[in-house]
Amino acid sequence: MASSAAASAASASSAASAAPKRPSCDNGESRIKKKRQRIPSACSACRKRKVKCDKKRPYCTSCLKNNIIHLCNYMEPTWS
């Protein structure tokens, strides 16, 4: 049993040393990530009520069931 324990320990140490290492980026510059500009795909009523929206157009099923189709609208992207 001692030989199998030694073999498993050796294979574990070789697997740990074979793991790829990330290059360090300590050159003094700090990178600032830009936050992604995305529009919500759910309608505004479902987002406000925090319920699942099926994203059907012109009115989602949730708004039809709750009789609030006048509140069901989707945000359009500003870049289009």
Side-chain angles (χ1 to χ4, degrees):
M1 289 240 300
S3 63
S4 64
S8 65
S11 65
S13 66
S14 66
S17 64
K21 294 182 180 180
R22 290 186 165 186
S24 63
C25 206
D26 292 333
N27 58 358
E29 290 183 27
S30 61
R31 295 184 183 206
I32 300 172
K33 287 188 175 182
K34 290 184 178 179
K35 192 159 184 161
R36 199 174 125 193
Q37 294 286 325
R38 65 180 175 131
I39 58 168
S41 56
C43 73
S44 57
C46 289
R47 289 188 68 222
K48 185 168 185 164
R49 296 173 60 229
K50 296 183 180 179
V51 295
K52 179 81 173 166
C53 183
D54 62 358
K55 303 171 191 88
K56 288 188 178 177
R57 304 269 179 143
Y59 310 113
C60 70
T61 308
S62 177
C63 289
L64 282 172
K65 282 182 181 178
N66 293 306
N67 198 21
I68 55 169
I69 59 173
H70 60 282
L71 298 175
C72 187
N73 58 0
Y74 294 89
M75 292 180 69
E76 294 297 323
T78 57
W79 58 87
S80 63

